[in-house]
Amino acid sequence: MKPIVCLIAILLFVTVSSVVAQSPMTLSVDASDAARNMLHSKISIPVKPGPLTLFYPKWIPGEHSPTGPINDLVGLKLSAGGKPIAWQRDDVEMFAFHCDIPQGVTVLDVTFDDVSQPESIASVKLARIKWNRLLVYAQGMNSDAITVKASLKLPTGWRFASALPVVNENKDDVQFKEASLTQLVDSPAIIGTNFRKLPLSSTGPMHEIDIVADTTAALEMKPETLTGLKAIVGEAYALFGARHYRSYQFLVTLSDHGGSEGLEHHESSEDGVGEKAFSDELELLDFAELIGHEYAHSWNGKYRRPVGLATPDFEQPMRGELLWVYEGLTQYLGKVLPARSGLWSAEDFREALAAVAAEMENQSGRQWRPVVDTAVAVQFTYPSPRAWMNYRRRVDYYDEGSLIWLDADVLIRSRSNGKLSLDDFCHRFHGGQDTAPVLKPYTFDDIVSTLNEVTPYDWRDFLDARVNRVNPHAPLAGITNGGWKLVYTDKPNTEIRIADHARKSIDLSYSLGMLLKEDGTVMDVNPSSAAFKAGMAPGMKILSVNGRMWSTEVLHAAITSSKTITAPIEVIVENGSFNETYKLNYHGGERYPHLERDNTKPDLIGEIIKSRAQQSK
Ligand SMILES: [Zn+2]
């Protein structure tokens, strides 16, 4: 393996006196109790006598936040030669444990259990093995400099997949090849009783999709889905022009109880979706976007990473100010790739753009907060509460970032009369030679200079204006200059149907200005909306609409008839232990966003989603 290079790591490297860096740690994970949300971990660390601090991974790559699930570490015991060694948690850094290694001791044994939250990483039939949850290491060590020999004991009869190379498999015991701690954490495994593996390429590096599911029926994939997944491998190579992995595996878990996930790695991705992801029409569209997004991350996020996110271990804080590149560009490419691969239709692509454009344009938080602030504040924007989210803004560096990159793509296409595109930026920035996993950090200046190499323009101001300043309107120039207009009709939007299906919600953002649960509970209210002006707020529960008992049909009927009736929509809501009546002065009918063709301009949106792999054949 080519070791992962990290420039910052060299500067921050700290030698720890009580650790023998050259010898590998061993990590034995017993997953026999995975179905009970319990994994047993045994770690042996080469040590020298003296004080030692052990660290539990806190800042997890791809999560951009201190999300290491320290509360799930239980039963911690330290020993040497069978004799217990006392430990003490640091009273400020909760992820650090201090101990004193006695004279004569060369190996410290650490055992603990990882007790995951139900519905997070495991169901009765499958689990995701995330190594960072299952180990501690010597604080201050660079994760590239620590080597680990890992092994995994599976529940009887279960099978596994991982990008981590295997040296030996014996029934339910798997021995992995020695790897750096960085590579180990970047190479999770999926395990499950219902397992399927499908190759996605016949030449060049190995690409495959590995699937574990709650049922055997869920493993069934339509032939056109498999064709689309194979096409996405070719489209990504055509887009970037090089690969930075030795092989690539989509590690897919299909379960309504094993937790959802989308986490990128150099040589694999964790793609945790619902049990019906391959069979339900809406869930399949959502799955295609997840696959496109996580796969694009192998280039944009893992190979090229903002310097602030390229940390030398799992302890140094990450800085998220360039997440509108890391996640925003990936969010854009995560829509382009499924469209170019046939997993999405052109209409699916436009519906997704319309949904994003409408959501960002109607985000009232944009009146006080630039998109960069949602990225800088990443430590709390992911778990941001649902209530008043429209006013807070959440992880808008994803969706608003994608609109900024669409804007850049259309601008490059327009200025070059169609000869160049954002693909040329990706070629320069993410391409080059094929390599094994390697990390090449970048700065804002690197983005600006590479864009200028593609098409000379004032890219610094272009990005500064859209990212760093408060903007009352979303950056929609990519849509309007791309030959389309954002319009609202009474026809439901596909992307909004997907979101409503997934969260069991009713999105009325563009009519009443509310997001509701199917039972009538208000999840969010837009402060510029009729609902807000009437007095409504998150947490209230609608009991009746225009005198009739709550149902989604009754509410939709009231919205539809609002166009022809002058009286307001009257709702009775439960607010705590009180019932209250509100009058919503709204008369616009059902409203959902779509893109409508503007025939005065060339259709550049249509050009963006043309297959590039087919063109280059
Ligand atoms: Zn992402």
Side-chain angles (χ1 to χ4, degrees):
M1 186 202 85
K2 190 170 177 180
I4 291 175
V5 176
C6 179
L7 299 175
I8 300 172
I10 297 161
L11 300 174
L12 295 177
F13 186 86
V14 180
T15 307
V16 176
S17 61
S18 294
V19 174
V20 184
Q22 302 90 318
S23 311
M25 283 170 46
T26 62
L27 167 63
S28 308
V29 173
D30 178 356
S32 309
D33 282 329
R36 292 202 289 172
N37 300 297
M38 181 182 279
L39 302 172
H40 313 290
S41 192
K42 183 174 188 302
I43 306 145
S44 296
I45 305 173
V47 290
K48 290 194 296 190
L52 172 68
T53 300
L54 299 172
F55 199 79
Y56 178 79
K58 177 179 185 181
W59 290 81
I60 310 305
E63 299 187 357
H64 322 309
S65 307
T67 48
I70 187 68
N71 248 337
D72 290 350
L73 179 158
V74 299
L76 178 67
K77 286 180 183 163
L78 274 51
S79 65
K83 291 184 183 156
I85 294 180
W87 57 264
Q88 188 177 29
R89 191 189 301 260
D90 191 272
D91 58 2
V92 174
E93 176 50 85
M94 303 284 121
F95 291 67
F97 301 89
H98 304 295
C99 65
D100 204 4
I101 305 299
Q103 287 298 323
V105 168
T106 57
V107 174
L108 173 68
D109 294 319
V110 181
T111 59
F112 67 85
D113 287 341
D114 171 54
V115 286
S116 57
Q117 306 298 311
E119 314 255 323
S120 64
I121 57 168
S123 73
V124 172
K125 301 291 185 183
L126 57 82
R128 286 186 293 279
I129 304 295
K130 293 169 171 284
W131 304 110
N132 59 280
R133 299 178 65 107
L134 296 157
L135 58 86
V136 289
Y137 65 98
Q139 186 183 36
M141 291 281 289
N142 184 315
S143 59
D144 289 346
I146 299 173
T147 53
V148 189
K149 275 186 187 169
S151 63
L152 177 61
K153 181 174 174 52
L154 301 168
T156 305
W158 284 32
R159 297 179 61 193
F160 82 100
S162 171
L164 198 62
V166 171
V167 286
N168 192 29
E169 262 186 87
N170 183 10
K171 286 188 180 169
D172 302 320
D173 289 307
V174 188
Q175 301 281 335
F176 294 98
K177 195 174 166 186
E178 190 176 309
S180 74
L181 180 57
T182 310
Q183 187 195 356
L184 177 77
V185 169
D186 193 49
S187 309
I190 54 170
I191 62 175
T193 184
N194 302 307
F195 181 88
R196 195 175 184 199
K197 175 187 294 237
L198 294 164
L200 299 178
S201 57
S202 48
T203 57
M206 184 270 277
H207 296 83
E208 71 181 27
I209 181 167
D210 301 293
I211 313 155
V212 291
D214 273 351
T215 61
T216 52
L219 297 169
E220 291 303 316
M221 185 188 285
K222 294 177 187 127
E224 59 268 32
T225 304
L226 184 57
T227 303
L229 290 172
K230 287 177 178 173
I232 216 168
V233 171
E235 290 298 339
Y237 197 44
L239 169 64
F240 295 111
R243 299 179 176 110
H244 305 288
Y245 52 74
R246 297 158 300 183
S247 60
Y248 193 90
Q249 288 164 267
F250 296 98
L251 302 175
V252 177
T253 51
L254 300 175
S255 172
D256 294 334
H257 305 285
S260 58
E261 178 64 286
L263 191 60
E264 63 274 20
H265 305 287
H266 280 279
E267 302 191 305
S268 64
S269 55
E270 293 170 77
D271 308 294
V273 288
E275 187 182 323
K276 295 188 174 62
F278 294 167
S279 55
D280 180 274
E281 181 197 357
L282 293 176
E283 291 186 33
L284 185 57
L285 290 172
D286 203 21
F287 173 73
E289 181 172 8
L290 177 68
I291 289 290
H293 181 104
E294 302 306 341
Y295 189 32
H297 264 320
S298 181
W299 290 264
N300 188 51
K302 302 310 289 190
Y303 169 51
R304 299 307 310 265
R305 200 177 310 168
V307 286
L309 296 173
T311 46
D313 53 32
F314 308 106
E315 179 186 358
Q316 309 303 321
M318 296 176 183
R319 290 181 299 281
E321 63 179 348
L322 288 177
L323 278 167
W324 55 274
V325 188
Y326 184 119
E327 294 295 358
L329 177 56
T330 304
Q331 190 79 341
Y332 178 57
L333 299 176
K335 292 176 167 59
V336 170
L337 285 172
R340 287 187 185 174
S341 312
L343 288 164
W344 275 12
S345 67
E347 176 70 7
D348 294 330
F349 182 71
R350 291 193 296 266
E351 287 282 90
L353 291 187
V356 167
E359 185 176 356
M360 292 302 104
E361 178 66 13
N362 289 277
Q363 193 75 284
S364 64
R366 67 179 311 110
Q367 308 299 334
W368 68 272
R369 190 174 191 186
V371 71
V372 72
D373 186 59
T374 68
V376 169
V378 59
Q379 290 186 45
F380 60 82
T381 40
Y382 279 107
S384 187
R386 179 71 252 184
W388 299 116
M389 194 174 281
N390 183 279
Y391 192 16
R392 298 173 197 275
R393 303 195 94 173
R394 189 178 160 240
V395 288
D396 287 3
Y397 48 87
Y398 280 84
D399 282 342
E400 186 136 338
S402 73
L403 293 174
I404 292 168
W405 288 103
L406 168 66
D407 195 352
D409 197 353
V410 166
L411 200 146
I412 295 169
R413 286 169 191 267
S414 300
R415 290 179 72 83
S416 65
N417 290 319
K419 290 191 188 71
L420 299 167
S421 71
L422 196 66
D423 287 32
D424 295 279
F425 169 83
C426 292
H427 255 66
R428 283 172 184 268
F429 201 71
H430 305 96
Q433 300 295 311
D434 288 344
T435 66
V438 62
L439 168 55
K440 202 173 162 188
Y442 62 82
T443 63
F444 178 76
D445 286 351
D446 295 329
I447 296 284
V448 170
S449 63
T450 309
L451 283 164
N452 268 314
E453 284 165 25
V454 176
T455 300
Y457 188 71
D458 192 352
W459 290 107
R460 186 175 300 279
D461 185 63
F462 172 95
L463 295 171
D464 183 49
R466 286 158 182 75
V467 173
N468 297 326
R469 298 182 209 158
V470 172
N471 288 301
H473 293 287
L476 303 186
I479 291 171
T480 51
N481 294 333
W484 294 80
K485 286 184 284 196
L486 177 64
V487 298
Y488 296 86
T489 74
D490 59 3
K491 185 182 152 219
N493 170 290
T494 308
E495 193 74 14
I496 292 174
R497 286 176 59 218
I498 292 171
D500 277 345
H501 174 79
R503 65 189 173 206
K504 296 182 170 52
S505 62
I506 311 162
D507 191 345
L508 305 172
S509 295
Y510 314 108
S511 51
L512 300 181
M514 284 190 291
L515 179 68
L516 305 175
K517 287 186 191 169
E518 286 174 345
D519 68 356
T521 302
V522 180
M523 296 166 76
D524 200 8
V525 176
N526 182 334
S528 317
S529 68
F532 180 85
K533 285 170 189 146
M536 297 198 62
M540 295 177 177
K541 185 176 179 185
I542 301 176
L543 303 176
S544 74
V545 181
N546 287 344
R548 296 195 65 190
M549 292 281 285
W550 162 262
S551 75
T552 55
E553 293 77 16
V554 163
L555 181 64
H556 280 297
I559 294 171
T560 301
S561 60
S562 71
K563 265 183 148 173
T564 50
I565 296 172
T566 52
I569 298 172
E570 187 174 288
V571 295
I572 296 175
V573 308
E574 181 184 298
N575 186 7
S577 58
F578 297 89
N579 285 353
E580 296 171 330
T581 303
Y582 294 105
K583 293 180 182 351
L584 281 69
N585 197 6
Y586 174 78
H587 300 285
E590 297 269 26
R591 286 181 89 238
Y592 302 99
H594 304 282
L595 296 193
E596 187 178 275
R597 182 77 178 96
D598 174 0
N599 285 314
T600 64
K601 293 174 185 165
D603 178 10
L604 298 184
I605 302 266
E607 290 296 316
I608 286 167
I609 55 174
K610 278 187 181 163
S611 163
R612 190 177 169 117
Q614 296 291 336
Q615 285 170 19
S616 57
K617 268 183 186 167

